[in-house]
Amino acid sequence: MGKEEKNIYTLQGDENIGEVKIAGEVVASIAAYAAMDVKGVSAVGSNKTQELIGRPAVKHATRGVKIDIIEGIVSASITINVLYGHNLVKVTNTVQEKVKSSIENMTGLTVADVNVRVAGVDVPEEA
């Protein structure tokens, strides 16, 4: 389970039935969507306009997420914005837990750490 091609990782290989490979960008997408599911997270990455109007667009889903996979061990770094009024410690801890469990459950990889950087606090617009 190592890096074989640029950002392509083998999840499992069996010479009888074949291999299962995953792109690092897929793992980054899992992390981004998991973080966006956390109450209090208003944006992942720096494209606030796209994030504030709803789910991140597919081509921007990994903005603000960095994934390193070495020998099947994942290290994730994610940048988020938090909605004003939410507890930063609670939101960031929940992001760490959700990102870790989502990556592990969906890929079978082991997550060593999830580093969260809060880039800003967003004030929700009143309707």
Side-chain angles (χ1 to χ4, degrees):
M1 275 201 245
K3 189 171 183 176
E4 295 175 349
E5 301 168 34
K6 185 178 180 190
N7 297 320
I8 303 292
Y9 304 91
T10 300
L11 292 180
Q12 78 185 64
D14 183 333
E15 47 184 75
N16 294 326
I17 60 174
E19 294 181 315
V20 176
K21 294 185 176 193
I22 189 169
E25 191 170 300
V26 172
V27 179
S29 292
I30 292 168
Y33 286 116
M36 283 302 297
D37 275 344
V38 175
K39 184 177 181 182
V41 174
S42 61
V44 173
S46 60
N47 190 353
K48 288 175 32 177
T49 304
Q50 184 67 34
E51 304 295 339
L52 291 172
I53 57 176
R55 294 272 183 227
V58 173
K59 68 180 183 177
H60 298 294
T62 60
R63 190 173 283 170
V65 181
K66 182 178 184 291
I67 299 292
D68 291 314
I69 305 173
I70 300 172
E71 296 183 14
I73 307 295
V74 177
S75 179
S77 297
I78 188 165
T79 301
I80 63 171
N81 282 12
V82 176
L83 285 171
Y84 177 79
H86 289 267
N87 182 301
L88 292 173
V89 174
K90 184 176 178 184
V91 170
T92 55
N93 285 342
T94 304
V95 167
Q96 287 176 310
E97 292 167 9
K98 183 131 183 156
V99 167
K100 180 181 185 338
S101 67
S102 293
I103 292 171
E104 289 181 343
N105 290 334
M106 293 182 74
T107 67
L109 295 168
T110 300
V111 177
D113 53 34
V114 177
N115 301 300
V116 180
R117 178 178 172 265
V118 178
V121 175
D122 293 329
V123 178
E125 293 183 25
E126 293 184 33

PDB file of all heavy atoms in Angstrom, residues 78-111:
ATOM      1  N   ILE A  78      -7.040  20.461   6.896  1.00  0.00           N
ATOM      2  CA  ILE A  78      -8.224  21.074   6.311  1.00  0.00           C
ATOM      3  C   ILE A  78      -8.410  22.477   6.878  1.00  0.00           C
ATOM      4  O   ILE A  78      -8.193  22.715   8.054  1.00  0.00           O
ATOM      5  CB  ILE A  78      -9.468  20.185   6.555  1.00  0.00           C
ATOM      6  CG1 ILE A  78     -10.677  20.699   5.803  1.00  0.00           C
ATOM      7  CG2 ILE A  78      -9.753  19.997   8.028  1.00  0.00           C
ATOM      8  CD1 ILE A  78     -11.799  19.683   5.705  1.00  0.00           C
ATOM      9  N   THR A  79      -8.755  23.401   5.987  1.00  0.00           N
ATOM     10  CA  THR A  79      -8.993  24.788   6.369  1.00  0.00           C
ATOM     11  C   THR A  79     -10.492  25.046   6.282  1.00  0.00           C
ATOM     12  O   THR A  79     -11.118  24.738   5.274  1.00  0.00           O
ATOM     13  CB  THR A  79      -8.243  25.743   5.424  1.00  0.00           C
ATOM     14  OG1 THR A  79      -6.842  25.442   5.506  1.00  0.00           O
ATOM     15  CG2 THR A  79      -8.461  27.198   5.816  1.00  0.00           C
ATOM     16  N   ILE A  80     -11.046  25.618   7.367  1.00  0.00           N
ATOM     17  CA  ILE A  80     -12.481  25.872   7.413  1.00  0.00           C
ATOM     18  C   ILE A  80     -12.776  27.294   7.871  1.00  0.00           C
ATOM     19  O   ILE A  80     -11.916  27.965   8.447  1.00  0.00           O
ATOM     20  CB  ILE A  80     -13.214  24.898   8.363  1.00  0.00           C
ATOM     21  CG1 ILE A  80     -12.741  25.078   9.820  1.00  0.00           C
ATOM     22  CG2 ILE A  80     -13.063  23.466   7.894  1.00  0.00           C
ATOM     23  CD1 ILE A  80     -13.560  24.318  10.846  1.00  0.00           C
ATOM     24  N   ASN A  81     -13.993  27.734   7.593  1.00  0.00           N
ATOM     25  CA  ASN A  81     -14.554  28.932   8.195  1.00  0.00           C
ATOM     26  C   ASN A  81     -15.682  28.460   9.102  1.00  0.00           C
ATOM     27  O   ASN A  81     -16.390  27.508   8.767  1.00  0.00           O
ATOM     28  CB  ASN A  81     -15.123  29.886   7.141  1.00  0.00           C
ATOM     29  CG  ASN A  81     -14.038  30.676   6.447  1.00  0.00           C
ATOM     30  OD1 ASN A  81     -12.860  30.383   6.578  1.00  0.00           O
ATOM     31  ND2 ASN A  81     -14.432  31.669   5.682  1.00  0.00           N
ATOM     32  N   VAL A  82     -15.858  29.136  10.225  1.00  0.00           N
ATOM     33  CA  VAL A  82     -16.873  28.766  11.202  1.00  0.00           C
ATOM     34  C   VAL A  82     -17.909  29.890  11.279  1.00  0.00           C
ATOM     35  O   VAL A  82     -17.570  31.067  11.181  1.00  0.00           O
ATOM     36  CB  VAL A  82     -16.227  28.523  12.589  1.00  0.00           C
ATOM     37  CG1 VAL A  82     -17.270  28.236  13.652  1.00  0.00           C
ATOM     38  CG2 VAL A  82     -15.213  27.385  12.502  1.00  0.00           C
ATOM     39  N   LEU A  83     -19.161  29.485  11.438  1.00  0.00           N
ATOM     40  CA  LEU A  83     -20.232  30.467  11.593  1.00  0.00           C
ATOM     41  C   LEU A  83     -20.123  31.147  12.946  1.00  0.00           C
ATOM     42  O   LEU A  83     -19.871  30.487  13.965  1.00  0.00           O
ATOM     43  CB  LEU A  83     -21.602  29.800  11.473  1.00  0.00           C
ATOM     44  CG  LEU A  83     -22.049  29.413  10.078  1.00  0.00           C
ATOM     45  CD1 LEU A  83     -23.315  28.573  10.149  1.00  0.00           C
ATOM     46  CD2 LEU A  83     -22.292  30.648   9.226  1.00  0.00           C
ATOM     47  N   TYR A  84     -20.333  32.453  12.960  1.00  0.00           N
ATOM     48  CA  TYR A  84     -20.311  33.230  14.196  1.00  0.00           C
ATOM     49  C   TYR A  84     -21.322  32.639  15.177  1.00  0.00           C
ATOM     50  O   TYR A  84     -22.427  32.267  14.812  1.00  0.00           O
ATOM     51  CB  TYR A  84     -20.658  34.696  13.907  1.00  0.00           C
ATOM     52  CG  TYR A  84     -20.711  35.534  15.153  1.00  0.00           C
ATOM     53  CD1 TYR A  84     -19.544  35.997  15.739  1.00  0.00           C
ATOM     54  CD2 TYR A  84     -21.933  35.842  15.756  1.00  0.00           C
ATOM     55  CE1 TYR A  84     -19.582  36.751  16.896  1.00  0.00           C
ATOM     56  CE2 TYR A  84     -21.982  36.597  16.903  1.00  0.00           C
ATOM     57  CZ  TYR A  84     -20.811  37.051  17.474  1.00  0.00           C
ATOM     58  OH  TYR A  84     -20.856  37.788  18.627  1.00  0.00           O
ATOM     59  N   GLY A  85     -20.930  32.558  16.439  1.00  0.00           N
ATOM     60  CA  GLY A  85     -21.816  32.066  17.485  1.00  0.00           C
ATOM     61  C   GLY A  85     -21.593  30.610  17.846  1.00  0.00           C
ATOM     62  O   GLY A  85     -22.110  30.127  18.840  1.00  0.00           O
ATOM     63  N   HIS A  86     -20.812  29.895  17.028  1.00  0.00           N
ATOM     64  CA  HIS A  86     -20.528  28.491  17.321  1.00  0.00           C
ATOM     65  C   HIS A  86     -19.199  28.389  18.060  1.00  0.00           C
ATOM     66  O   HIS A  86     -18.266  29.153  17.812  1.00  0.00           O
ATOM     67  CB  HIS A  86     -20.481  27.668  16.034  1.00  0.00           C
ATOM     68  CG  HIS A  86     -21.824  27.491  15.414  1.00  0.00           C
ATOM     69  ND1 HIS A  86     -22.620  26.407  15.672  1.00  0.00           N
ATOM     70  CD2 HIS A  86     -22.530  28.266  14.558  1.00  0.00           C
ATOM     71  CE1 HIS A  86     -23.747  26.519  15.011  1.00  0.00           C
ATOM     72  NE2 HIS A  86     -23.719  27.648  14.322  1.00  0.00           N
ATOM     73  N   ASN A  87     -19.116  27.441  18.981  1.00  0.00           N
ATOM     74  CA  ASN A  87     -17.917  27.216  19.762  1.00  0.00           C
ATOM     75  C   ASN A  87     -16.823  26.635  18.868  1.00  0.00           C
ATOM     76  O   ASN A  87     -16.981  25.541  18.308  1.00  0.00           O
ATOM     77  CB  ASN A  87     -18.250  26.252  20.912  1.00  0.00           C
ATOM     78  CG  ASN A  87     -17.073  25.988  21.819  1.00  0.00           C
ATOM     79  OD1 ASN A  87     -16.035  25.509  21.373  1.00  0.00           O
ATOM     80  ND2 ASN A  87     -17.240  26.302  23.083  1.00  0.00           N
ATOM     81  N   LEU A  88     -15.707  27.361  18.727  1.00  0.00           N
ATOM     82  CA  LEU A  88     -14.624  26.938  17.833  1.00  0.00           C
ATOM     83  C   LEU A  88     -14.029  25.589  18.227  1.00  0.00           C
ATOM     84  O   LEU A  88     -13.757  24.753  17.361  1.00  0.00           O
ATOM     85  CB  LEU A  88     -13.513  27.989  17.794  1.00  0.00           C
ATOM     86  CG  LEU A  88     -13.867  29.318  17.132  1.00  0.00           C
ATOM     87  CD1 LEU A  88     -12.736  30.318  17.313  1.00  0.00           C
ATOM     88  CD2 LEU A  88     -14.170  29.121  15.676  1.00  0.00           C
ATOM     89  N   VAL A  89     -13.839  25.373  19.515  1.00  0.00           N
ATOM     90  CA  VAL A  89     -13.243  24.115  19.961  1.00  0.00           C
ATOM     91  C   VAL A  89     -14.178  22.947  19.651  1.00  0.00           C
ATOM     92  O   VAL A  89     -13.747  21.914  19.135  1.00  0.00           O
ATOM     93  CB  VAL A  89     -12.908  24.163  21.473  1.00  0.00           C
ATOM     94  CG1 VAL A  89     -12.431  22.815  21.974  1.00  0.00           C
ATOM     95  CG2 VAL A  89     -11.859  25.233  21.746  1.00  0.00           C
ATOM     96  N   LYS A  90     -15.465  23.116  19.918  1.00  0.00           N
ATOM     97  CA  LYS A  90     -16.429  22.048  19.654  1.00  0.00           C
ATOM     98  C   LYS A  90     -16.521  21.754  18.149  1.00  0.00           C
ATOM     99  O   LYS A  90     -16.518  20.597  17.733  1.00  0.00           O
ATOM    100  CB  LYS A  90     -17.800  22.438  20.195  1.00  0.00           C
ATOM    101  CG  LYS A  90     -18.828  21.355  20.048  1.00  0.00           C
ATOM    102  CD  LYS A  90     -20.148  21.758  20.678  1.00  0.00           C
ATOM    103  CE  LYS A  90     -21.182  20.669  20.474  1.00  0.00           C
ATOM    104  NZ  LYS A  90     -22.494  21.032  20.986  1.00  0.00           N
ATOM    105  N   VAL A  91     -16.585  22.806  17.337  1.00  0.00           N
ATOM    106  CA  VAL A  91     -16.690  22.623  15.885  1.00  0.00           C
ATOM    107  C   VAL A  91     -15.444  21.932  15.333  1.00  0.00           C
ATOM    108  O   VAL A  91     -15.545  20.971  14.573  1.00  0.00           O
ATOM    109  CB  VAL A  91     -16.935  23.965  15.156  1.00  0.00           C
ATOM    110  CG1 VAL A  91     -16.809  23.815  13.649  1.00  0.00           C
ATOM    111  CG2 VAL A  91     -18.309  24.522  15.515  1.00  0.00           C
ATOM    112  N   THR A  92     -14.269  22.393  15.730  1.00  0.00           N
ATOM    113  CA  THR A  92     -13.032  21.808  15.189  1.00  0.00           C
ATOM    114  C   THR A  92     -12.838  20.368  15.663  1.00  0.00           C
ATOM    115  O   THR A  92     -12.381  19.522  14.885  1.00  0.00           O
ATOM    116  CB  THR A  92     -11.798  22.669  15.518  1.00  0.00           C
ATOM    117  OG1 THR A  92     -11.732  22.880  16.938  1.00  0.00           O
ATOM    118  CG2 THR A  92     -11.847  24.006  14.802  1.00  0.00           C
ATOM    119  N   ASN A  93     -13.186  20.076  16.915  1.00  0.00           N
ATOM    120  CA  ASN A  93     -13.093  18.687  17.395  1.00  0.00           C
ATOM    121  C   ASN A  93     -14.046  17.780  16.617  1.00  0.00           C
ATOM    122  O   ASN A  93     -13.690  16.659  16.253  1.00  0.00           O
ATOM    123  CB  ASN A  93     -13.403  18.597  18.892  1.00  0.00           C
ATOM    124  CG  ASN A  93     -12.266  19.112  19.748  1.00  0.00           C
ATOM    125  OD1 ASN A  93     -11.138  19.240  19.306  1.00  0.00           O
ATOM    126  ND2 ASN A  93     -12.575  19.420  20.995  1.00  0.00           N
ATOM    127  N   THR A  94     -15.254  18.276  16.348  1.00  0.00           N
ATOM    128  CA  THR A  94     -16.223  17.493  15.589  1.00  0.00           C
ATOM    129  C   THR A  94     -15.747  17.280  14.161  1.00  0.00           C
ATOM    130  O   THR A  94     -15.908  16.188  13.602  1.00  0.00           O
ATOM    131  CB  THR A  94     -17.609  18.175  15.611  1.00  0.00           C
ATOM    132  OG1 THR A  94     -18.007  18.369  16.973  1.00  0.00           O
ATOM    133  CG2 THR A  94     -18.656  17.335  14.906  1.00  0.00           C
ATOM    134  N   VAL A  95     -15.140  18.308  13.556  1.00  0.00           N
ATOM    135  CA  VAL A  95     -14.583  18.167  12.210  1.00  0.00           C
ATOM    136  C   VAL A  95     -13.511  17.080  12.211  1.00  0.00           C
ATOM    137  O   VAL A  95     -13.502  16.210  11.333  1.00  0.00           O
ATOM    138  CB  VAL A  95     -14.020  19.503  11.675  1.00  0.00           C
ATOM    139  CG1 VAL A  95     -13.161  19.282  10.434  1.00  0.00           C
ATOM    140  CG2 VAL A  95     -15.147  20.475  11.379  1.00  0.00           C
ATOM    141  N   GLN A  96     -12.616  17.110  13.189  1.00  0.00           N
ATOM    142  CA  GLN A  96     -11.561  16.097  13.256  1.00  0.00           C
ATOM    143  C   GLN A  96     -12.151  14.688  13.336  1.00  0.00           C
ATOM    144  O   GLN A  96     -11.733  13.795  12.602  1.00  0.00           O
ATOM    145  CB  GLN A  96     -10.658  16.346  14.466  1.00  0.00           C
ATOM    146  CG  GLN A  96      -9.747  17.540  14.293  1.00  0.00           C
ATOM    147  CD  GLN A  96      -8.935  17.816  15.539  1.00  0.00           C
ATOM    148  OE1 GLN A  96      -9.479  17.890  16.646  1.00  0.00           O
ATOM    149  NE2 GLN A  96      -7.640  17.972  15.362  1.00  0.00           N
ATOM    150  N   GLU A  97     -13.118  14.503  14.217  1.00  0.00           N
ATOM    151  CA  GLU A  97     -13.723  13.183  14.393  1.00  0.00           C
ATOM    152  C   GLU A  97     -14.458  12.720  13.133  1.00  0.00           C
ATOM    153  O   GLU A  97     -14.324  11.568  12.709  1.00  0.00           O
ATOM    154  CB  GLU A  97     -14.698  13.208  15.575  1.00  0.00           C
ATOM    155  CG  GLU A  97     -14.026  13.401  16.918  1.00  0.00           C
ATOM    156  CD  GLU A  97     -15.005  13.744  18.034  1.00  0.00           C
ATOM    157  OE1 GLU A  97     -16.239  13.678  17.815  1.00  0.00           O
ATOM    158  OE2 GLU A  97     -14.531  14.092  19.126  1.00  0.00           O
ATOM    159  N   LYS A  98     -15.238  13.632  12.533  1.00  0.00           N
ATOM    160  CA  LYS A  98     -16.042  13.269  11.360  1.00  0.00           C
ATOM    161  C   LYS A  98     -15.157  12.972  10.145  1.00  0.00           C
ATOM    162  O   LYS A  98     -15.417  12.022   9.410  1.00  0.00           O
ATOM    163  CB  LYS A  98     -17.033  14.379  11.043  1.00  0.00           C
ATOM    164  CG  LYS A  98     -17.934  14.054   9.895  1.00  0.00           C
ATOM    165  CD  LYS A  98     -19.357  14.300  10.215  1.00  0.00           C
ATOM    166  CE  LYS A  98     -20.183  13.871   9.032  1.00  0.00           C
ATOM    167  NZ  LYS A  98     -21.506  13.553   9.342  1.00  0.00           N
ATOM    168  N   VAL A  99     -14.134  13.783   9.926  1.00  0.00           N
ATOM    169  CA  VAL A  99     -13.223  13.555   8.798  1.00  0.00           C
ATOM    170  C   VAL A  99     -12.492  12.223   8.972  1.00  0.00           C
ATOM    171  O   VAL A  99     -12.422  11.411   8.048  1.00  0.00           O
ATOM    172  CB  VAL A  99     -12.233  14.727   8.632  1.00  0.00           C
ATOM    173  CG1 VAL A  99     -11.099  14.371   7.677  1.00  0.00           C
ATOM    174  CG2 VAL A  99     -12.963  15.975   8.159  1.00  0.00           C
ATOM    175  N   LYS A 100     -11.980  11.981  10.181  1.00  0.00           N
ATOM    176  CA  LYS A 100     -11.267  10.726  10.458  1.00  0.00           C
ATOM    177  C   LYS A 100     -12.170   9.519  10.219  1.00  0.00           C
ATOM    178  O   LYS A 100     -11.803   8.594   9.493  1.00  0.00           O
ATOM    179  CB  LYS A 100     -10.759  10.714  11.901  1.00  0.00           C
ATOM    180  CG  LYS A 100     -10.000   9.458  12.293  1.00  0.00           C
ATOM    181  CD  LYS A 100      -9.555   9.544  13.757  1.00  0.00           C
ATOM    182  CE  LYS A 100      -8.703   8.469  14.298  1.00  0.00           C
ATOM    183  NZ  LYS A 100      -8.634   7.192  13.732  1.00  0.00           N
ATOM    184  N   SER A 101     -13.367   9.530  10.798  1.00  0.00           N
ATOM    185  CA  SER A 101     -14.248   8.366  10.657  1.00  0.00           C
ATOM    186  C   SER A 101     -14.735   8.191   9.218  1.00  0.00           C
ATOM    187  O   SER A 101     -14.845   7.063   8.734  1.00  0.00           O
ATOM    188  CB  SER A 101     -15.426   8.443  11.627  1.00  0.00           C
ATOM    189  OG  SER A 101     -16.294   9.491  11.299  1.00  0.00           O
ATOM    190  N   SER A 102     -14.999   9.290   8.512  1.00  0.00           N
ATOM    191  CA  SER A 102     -15.465   9.188   7.128  1.00  0.00           C
ATOM    192  C   SER A 102     -14.398   8.577   6.226  1.00  0.00           C
ATOM    193  O   SER A 102     -14.694   7.689   5.424  1.00  0.00           O
ATOM    194  CB  SER A 102     -15.873  10.557   6.587  1.00  0.00           C
ATOM    195  OG  SER A 102     -17.015  11.029   7.253  1.00  0.00           O
ATOM    196  N   ILE A 103     -13.164   9.040   6.349  1.00  0.00           N
ATOM    197  CA  ILE A 103     -12.081   8.495   5.526  1.00  0.00           C
ATOM    198  C   ILE A 103     -11.857   7.020   5.850  1.00  0.00           C
ATOM    199  O   ILE A 103     -11.760   6.181   4.959  1.00  0.00           O
ATOM    200  CB  ILE A 103     -10.777   9.306   5.697  1.00  0.00           C
ATOM    201  CG1 ILE A 103     -10.931  10.709   5.096  1.00  0.00           C
ATOM    202  CG2 ILE A 103      -9.591   8.575   5.054  1.00  0.00           C
ATOM    203  CD1 ILE A 103      -9.776  11.643   5.399  1.00  0.00           C
ATOM    204  N   GLU A 104     -11.801   6.697   7.136  1.00  0.00           N
ATOM    205  CA  GLU A 104     -11.543   5.305   7.523  1.00  0.00           C
ATOM    206  C   GLU A 104     -12.677   4.379   7.083  1.00  0.00           C
ATOM    207  O   GLU A 104     -12.428   3.286   6.574  1.00  0.00           O
ATOM    208  CB  GLU A 104     -11.306   5.210   9.035  1.00  0.00           C
ATOM    209  CG  GLU A 104      -9.978   5.806   9.439  1.00  0.00           C
ATOM    210  CD  GLU A 104      -9.675   5.730  10.922  1.00  0.00           C
ATOM    211  OE1 GLU A 104     -10.600   5.509  11.722  1.00  0.00           O
ATOM    212  OE2 GLU A 104      -8.493   5.891  11.271  1.00  0.00           O
ATOM    213  N   ASN A 105     -13.925   4.815   7.278  1.00  0.00           N
ATOM    214  CA  ASN A 105     -15.063   3.971   6.914  1.00  0.00           C
ATOM    215  C   ASN A 105     -15.208   3.782   5.412  1.00  0.00           C
ATOM    216  O   ASN A 105     -15.584   2.709   4.950  1.00  0.00           O
ATOM    217  CB  ASN A 105     -16.367   4.531   7.487  1.00  0.00           C
ATOM    218  CG  ASN A 105     -16.439   4.404   8.984  1.00  0.00           C
ATOM    219  OD1 ASN A 105     -15.824   3.528   9.588  1.00  0.00           O
ATOM    220  ND2 ASN A 105     -17.185   5.295   9.625  1.00  0.00           N
ATOM    221  N   MET A 106     -14.920   4.816   4.641  1.00  0.00           N
ATOM    222  CA  MET A 106     -15.130   4.740   3.196  1.00  0.00           C
ATOM    223  C   MET A 106     -13.953   4.115   2.444  1.00  0.00           C
ATOM    224  O   MET A 106     -14.148   3.568   1.359  1.00  0.00           O
ATOM    225  CB  MET A 106     -15.442   6.121   2.627  1.00  0.00           C
ATOM    226  CG  MET A 106     -16.789   6.655   3.105  1.00  0.00           C
ATOM    227  SD  MET A 106     -17.203   8.247   2.402  1.00  0.00           S
ATOM    228  CE  MET A 106     -17.622   7.750   0.738  1.00  0.00           C
ATOM    229  N   THR A 107     -12.742   4.216   2.991  1.00  0.00           N
ATOM    230  CA  THR A 107     -11.569   3.742   2.252  1.00  0.00           C
ATOM    231  C   THR A 107     -10.854   2.556   2.903  1.00  0.00           C
ATOM    232  O   THR A 107     -10.112   1.858   2.225  1.00  0.00           O
ATOM    233  CB  THR A 107     -10.525   4.865   2.090  1.00  0.00           C
ATOM    234  OG1 THR A 107      -9.979   5.189   3.379  1.00  0.00           O
ATOM    235  CG2 THR A 107     -11.110   6.085   1.422  1.00  0.00           C
ATOM    236  N   GLY A 108     -11.027   2.381   4.197  1.00  0.00           N
ATOM    237  CA  GLY A 108     -10.280   1.342   4.901  1.00  0.00           C
ATOM    238  C   GLY A 108      -8.876   1.766   5.276  1.00  0.00           C
ATOM    239  O   GLY A 108      -8.142   1.023   5.916  1.00  0.00           O
ATOM    240  N   LEU A 109      -8.493   2.992   4.900  1.00  0.00           N
ATOM    241  CA  LEU A 109      -7.187   3.526   5.277  1.00  0.00           C
ATOM    242  C   LEU A 109      -7.211   3.941   6.743  1.00  0.00           C
ATOM    243  O   LEU A 109      -8.275   4.202   7.302  1.00  0.00           O
ATOM    244  CB  LEU A 109      -6.834   4.738   4.412  1.00  0.00           C
ATOM    245  CG  LEU A 109      -6.628   4.480   2.922  1.00  0.00           C
ATOM    246  CD1 LEU A 109      -6.583   5.797   2.151  1.00  0.00           C
ATOM    247  CD2 LEU A 109      -5.354   3.686   2.688  1.00  0.00           C
ATOM    248  N   THR A 110      -6.043   4.026   7.358  1.00  0.00           N
ATOM    249  CA  THR A 110      -5.925   4.489   8.737  1.00  0.00           C
ATOM    250  C   THR A 110      -5.581   5.966   8.728  1.00  0.00           C
ATOM    251  O   THR A 110      -4.678   6.396   8.000  1.00  0.00           O
ATOM    252  CB  THR A 110      -4.816   3.706   9.476  1.00  0.00           C
ATOM    253  OG1 THR A 110      -5.154   2.327   9.452  1.00  0.00           O
ATOM    254  CG2 THR A 110      -4.668   4.181  10.903  1.00  0.00           C
ATOM    255  N   VAL A 111      -6.284   6.761   9.527  1.00  0.00           N
ATOM    256  CA  VAL A 111      -6.023   8.195   9.621  1.00  0.00           C
ATOM    257  C   VAL A 111      -5.217   8.451  10.888  1.00  0.00           C
ATOM    258  O   VAL A 111      -5.678   8.177  11.996  1.00  0.00           O
ATOM    259  CB  VAL A 111      -7.333   9.014   9.630  1.00  0.00           C
ATOM    260  CG1 VAL A 111      -7.025  10.494   9.798  1.00  0.00           C
ATOM    261  CG2 VAL A 111      -8.118   8.765   8.350  1.00  0.00           C
TER     262      VAL A 111
END
